[in-house]
Amino acid sequence: MFKNIIYSLITKGSVAIINFIILIISSRYLGVSSRGEISIFILNITVIQIVNDVYTGYSIVHFIPKFNFIKIIVYGVIFTLILCSLSNSLLWILNKQVKGYEWVGYILSLLVILNTFNCVLLLGNENIKAYNFLSFIQPFLLLFGIGFYLFVLKKYTFDAFVYPLLFSFSFSFLISTFLQFRFLKRKFTVNKYQLKPILVNGFMFQVATLTFVFVNRYSYYLLPDISNVGLYSSASSLMEAVLIIVNGIFPVLLARVSNAGNTPKIIDLTLVLSKASFLFSTMCVLILLLIPDSFFVFILGEGFHGIKNLMLRYSPGILLISLFGSMSYYFSAIGKQKLVFACYSIGFISSLIFAPFLISRYGVNGAAHNANIAYLLIAIAVCSSFMRITKLSSERFFSFRTDYKYLKDFIFSKEIAHL
């Protein structure tokens, strides 16, 4: 398991670097307004995916070892075609899609969801290497495609992002489908299949995810113009790149707990990685303090003056996510979706109350203040729930000496492979 975590962290770190380069290139050559269009376009696909992932999302990993594998796939494809069509139609009726790209948005949302579904199925079978490869290849192809549009075709419009995005997910979907067919050639036992528990568990998982996404992204719809959306979304993306440990541990932890069950060592590992992620994120923020605002303007473009100040205002929220993120994923892995939803709902309700007031009073800075308040409330709820459910004492929760000893034993123990 330790090796899988290391591979996953390396992959997530590489993806974070690629996404950072994509952000720099798209911001510098496409401008702050196009970054706003990109943010709205991606947010729409994200919302559609969250709705569809009631069936096809990470919550289904819990059922892959237990239910008929072929039926899981067939029902997933049917579910995707129906929900994706309905969701895109609703966005079109509400006039929330980027003008002129409605069909592109529909096709892309299908590809994103089906590719992610394939990745989740690979993860459920603990094929971590294939999962990490697919996680890397899509953003790498996106970066290649954007570079081709900008530096070869000399196109500096929204097309330079959206069509490379379409290409990258098309290619990734073909690879993930090929890998999935290889799994289907193996002999699977004819297990039972029940649709209801998948949908109930998935619904709670995705409602929790949607509430968490809108804790911060809800502000996109309240900011006064598209340039502010581009500035704030870029600042958020840059800060969220430091959540490498949290994003790296999630797939490995979810797959291991779903297949092998919950153990005391998993609880200790979750706590240790939560603190390690917090310390790593804190160091990143301290490094950020040393970088002048002019550097960000130089690499992103003239429309991004003040982005460092906005990033620093948003950084307390990122530090809080780095602390409670692994604990939330632990709850998801052991099937406590309702608890995750309850904790996230506190932050979402806070955003609904405070975001309109803070944004109207402080503008784009108010969006960052709103996110910090919401994430603080979520952190309190998640950490207190983790201590209560795992029966950890306050002394153990705040003990770094014990964490160091456990991490050392975990890395060098011969029992790593059996954890």
Side-chain angles (χ1 to χ4, degrees), residues 239 278 285 311-321 368 371-372 375-376:
M239 289 307 306
F278 179 79
V285 172
M311 290 167 62
L312 289 175
R313 289 178 184 272
Y314 183 58
S315 62
I318 290 298
L319 295 180
L320 291 168
I321 295 174
N372 292 335
Y375 290 143
L376 175 61

Side-chain angles (χ1 to χ4, degrees), residues 129-392:
K129 290 183 178 180
Y131 175 85
N132 284 331
F133 171 75
L134 290 166
S135 298
F136 171 81
I137 194 65
Q138 183 274 316
F140 175 79
L141 291 174
L142 174 58
L143 176 61
F144 177 83
I146 292 175
F148 178 77
Y149 260 78
L150 293 178
F151 305 121
V152 178
L153 300 181
K154 305 295 182 182
K155 289 190 176 182
Y156 307 104
T157 64
F158 180 61
D159 288 356
F161 180 87
V162 70
Y163 288 113
L165 186 67
L166 180 63
F167 165 74
S168 67
F169 272 106
S170 298
F171 191 82
S172 297
F173 172 65
L174 291 176
I175 296 177
S176 63
T177 301
F178 170 75
L179 293 173
Q180 206 57 256
F181 274 117
R182 290 182 62 188
F183 260 108
L184 289 176
K185 290 181 180 179
R186 301 180 183 181
K187 292 182 179 181
F188 286 91
T189 56
V190 183
N191 296 329
K192 63 179 180 178
Y193 177 86
Q194 297 178 28
L195 182 61
K196 182 179 178 180
I198 293 177
L199 293 180
V200 170
N201 196 57
F203 176 77
M204 292 307 305
F205 187 97
Q206 294 311 124
V207 169
T209 301
L210 187 62
T211 55
F212 186 75
V213 167
F214 273 99
V215 164
N216 185 37
R217 268 54 175 179
Y218 172 60
S219 297
Y220 290 9
Y221 296 119
L222 300 179
L223 290 168
D225 59 67
I226 200 70
S227 296
N228 281 333
V229 175
L231 181 65
Y232 182 66
S233 64
S234 298
S236 299
S237 297
L238 285 170
M239 289 307 306
E240 289 165 5
V242 307
L243 299 174
I244 295 174
I245 294 181
V246 172
N247 294 330
I249 182 62
F250 168 56
V252 180
L253 183 66
L254 183 62
R256 173 49 51 185
V257 175
S258 297
N259 284 275
N262 189 21
T263 66
K265 287 187 176 181
I266 289 290
I267 295 173
D268 284 329
L269 180 63
T270 302
L271 180 61
V272 170
L273 290 174
S274 295
K275 295 179 183 179
S277 179
F278 179 79
L279 292 174
F280 177 82
S281 300
T282 301
M283 288 188 290
C284 290
V285 172
L286 292 176
I287 293 173
L288 176 63
L289 289 171
L290 304 176
I291 303 175
D293 184 67
S294 57
F295 172 78
F296 292 101
V297 175
F298 172 74
I299 62 174
L300 298 176
E302 289 297 324
F304 291 86
H305 281 284
I307 192 171
K308 177 190 173 181
N309 176 64
L310 191 56
M311 290 167 62
L312 289 175
R313 289 178 184 272
Y314 183 58
S315 62
I318 290 298
L319 295 180
L320 291 168
I321 295 174
S322 70
L323 177 64
F324 70 73
S326 294
M327 299 178 196
S328 295
Y329 293 144
Y330 165 80
F331 290 143
S332 297
I334 64 175
K336 292 190 176 295
Q337 313 296 348
K338 293 182 179 179
L339 176 60
V340 177
F341 171 63
C343 294
Y344 288 173
S345 294
I346 296 173
F348 178 61
I349 293 172
S350 171
S351 287
L352 291 178
I353 295 172
F354 292 109
F357 167 74
L358 291 172
I359 290 175
S360 64
R361 186 174 179 85
Y362 300 105
V364 70
N365 290 331
H369 298 326
N370 167 72
N372 292 335
I373 294 172
Y375 290 143
L376 175 61
L377 295 175
I378 294 174
I380 294 172
V382 171
C383 291
S384 59
S385 298
F386 184 78
M387 292 176 64
R388 176 175 56 83
I389 290 175
T390 59
K391 295 180 171 55
L392 288 178

Side-chain angles (χ1 to χ4, degrees), residues 47-61:
V47 172
I48 294 171
Q49 183 178 8
I50 288 173
V51 173
N52 199 95
D53 280 357
V54 166
Y55 185 100
T56 58
Y58 286 100
S59 60
I60 204 170
V61 171

